[in-house]
Amino acid sequence: MALVFFQSSPAAAWGGEGHTFINRVAAEKIPASMPRFLRRAVVEIAYLGPEPDRWRSPAEFALKNAQEPDHFLDMERIEWLDPLPRGRYEFYRKLYEKRASTKENPDDYLPERVGLQPYITMEVYGRLKSAFREYRQLRAAHQPTQAVQQGIVFYAGWLGHYVADGSQPLHTTIQYNGWVGPNPSRYSTLHGIHAQFETAYVAANITAKDFAGLVKTPDRLQDPFASYVAYLKDSHAQVETVYSLEKAGGFTGKGIPTAFDFTTQRLAAGAQMLLNLWYTAWLESAEPAPEHPGSTPAKAADPAK
Ligand SMILES: [Zn+2]
């Protein structure tokens, strides 16, 4: 039953276990300098690790349709686009321009085919930072913070899903589930490697404590978007490693030690980036925000909006 489900959802990214582990390990490492309610929300944050994968049912068509591209980024399709634009609509515009000038398979450049991984991640990061700012203001004003605390826990957990997806190399590539195109190393072309690696192998062989020790105290990121894109590139550089490990039987049954080391390091990389983003959002939220960020007086006065 579970096997059928995961085979029909090849882009699920880390199974439920992997997502839960990454969120839990990161939450257990939240430093004492961050709010205590958040450090106490390990169970809630861990539960939210798989949350966006609960939004993929055909029973909620609009939701499934809108959010599926959030889970991946096919980096081969955007090698010509460096640096990446910081806003999703600037990204769409670049892709549509590319599509218009492309003769062969132009639809490969549709935003929903390329994927929107770094955009959703930074958008949820922004929500978290904004909620942290509200929390600070309410506390300073001696107002109740219970409601904003619930928002913060949700945003922190939700963010964890996409960050974890980004640590799975097969979420950064057109080679997401079986090798396509020239194949000199004779990697598997079967649709199955994705779930075999991230779901079946992880569930059977790895627990949170296998990689918790690899996650260190958080660093403040000077430029979260740039750091996140670099993190995706690092993950993308390891796509072939997944295929060569699979070829060596690394993810079959109990697998092999190099596959275990590789997988725990990828899970740890996800938890570390998540922890760094939480920490950075918390620190950045202490800086005062402009009065009406992003809305110019002309737009605010436009009755059509
Ligand atoms: Zn996902």
Side-chain angles (χ1 to χ4, degrees), residues 162-199:
Y162 304 118
V163 177
D165 279 355
S167 72
Q168 210 289 43
L170 301 188
H171 275 251
T172 65
T173 178
I174 59 171
Q175 310 293 359
Y176 75 97
N177 196 21
W179 198 265
V180 295
N183 190 4
S185 302
R186 295 173 180 271
Y187 295 133
S188 175
T189 57
L190 300 175
H191 297 308
I193 182 173
H194 195 109
Q196 184 189 4
F197 167 50
E198 73 177 18
T199 303

Side-chain angles (χ1 to χ4, degrees), residues 10-15 19 22 71-73 75 117 161-173 175-177 193-199 202 228 231-232 234-236 238-239 242-243 251 262-263 265-267 269-270:
W14 298 120
H19 277 295
I22 286 175
H71 300 253
F72 65 91
L73 182 69
M75 299 190 82
Q117 237 283 316
H161 183 87
Y162 304 118
V163 177
D165 279 355
S167 72
Q168 210 289 43
L170 301 188
H171 275 251
T172 65
T173 178
Q175 310 293 359
Y176 75 97
N177 196 21
I193 182 173
H194 195 109
Q196 184 189 4
F197 167 50
E198 73 177 18
T199 303
V202 171
Y228 195 75
Y231 161 81
L232 292 178
D234 185 49
S235 191
H236 181 68
Q238 300 180 66
V239 170
V242 178
Y243 277 86
F251 306 124
F262 173 79
T263 307
Q265 281 163 17
R266 290 320 305 157
L267 291 162

Side-chain angles (χ1 to χ4, degrees), residues 6-212:
F6 286 118
Q7 280 177 345
S8 67
S9 308
W14 298 120
E17 285 86 358
H19 277 295
T20 304
F21 294 163
I22 286 175
N23 270 26
R24 182 187 304 144
V25 166
E28 285 171 345
K29 304 263 172 168
I30 293 172
S33 62
M34 289 181 69
R36 189 165 56 173
F37 77 85
L38 192 60
R39 285 186 284 132
R40 287 182 170 174
V42 173
V43 170
E44 291 81 0
I45 290 171
Y47 167 80
L48 290 165
E51 183 73 353
D53 284 339
R54 300 174 180 126
W55 301 337
R56 308 174 79 114
S57 166
E60 291 83 39
F61 174 78
L63 174 63
K64 174 180 166 64
N65 182 264
Q67 64 89 48
E68 282 196 324
D70 294 343
H71 300 253
F72 65 91
L73 182 69
D74 285 355
M75 299 190 82
E76 295 90 345
R77 302 250 192 261
I78 51 166
E79 280 164 355
W80 51 277
L81 186 54
D82 190 19
L84 284 181
R86 295 199 169 225
R88 74 161 55 220
Y89 291 104
E90 288 70 28
F91 183 59
Y92 289 177
R93 184 184 293 256
K94 293 282 186 194
L95 291 176
Y96 280 114
E97 286 170 5
K98 179 76 172 174
R99 180 174 177 246
S101 66
T102 298
K103 295 262 186 297
E104 205 174 319
N105 301 323
D107 286 354
D108 284 349
Y109 295 101
L110 287 169
E112 62 269 34
R113 298 254 184 107
V114 172
L116 299 165
Q117 237 283 316
Y119 297 100
I120 185 69
T121 302
M122 291 314 298
E123 290 157 7
V124 181
Y125 174 85
R127 290 178 174 105
L128 176 63
K129 180 178 154 186
S130 165
F132 274 144
R133 194 162 53 228
E134 286 291 317
Y135 171 80
R136 287 179 185 273
Q137 287 168 357
L138 288 168
R139 266 186 69 100
H142 304 287
Q143 297 291 312
T145 56
Q146 185 65 26
V148 71
Q149 287 178 23
Q150 289 184 9
I152 288 168
V153 169
F154 181 77
Y155 295 138
W158 181 19
L159 178 65
H161 183 87
Y162 304 118
V163 177
D165 279 355
S167 72
Q168 210 289 43
L170 301 188
H171 275 251
T172 65
T173 178
I174 59 171
Q175 310 293 359
Y176 75 97
N177 196 21
W179 198 265
V180 295
N183 190 4
S185 302
R186 295 173 180 271
Y187 295 133
S188 175
T189 57
L190 300 175
H191 297 308
I193 182 173
H194 195 109
Q196 184 189 4
F197 167 50
E198 73 177 18
T199 303
Y201 173 75
V202 171
N205 296 286
I206 293 176
T207 65
K209 68 175 172 14
D210 290 324
F211 67 94

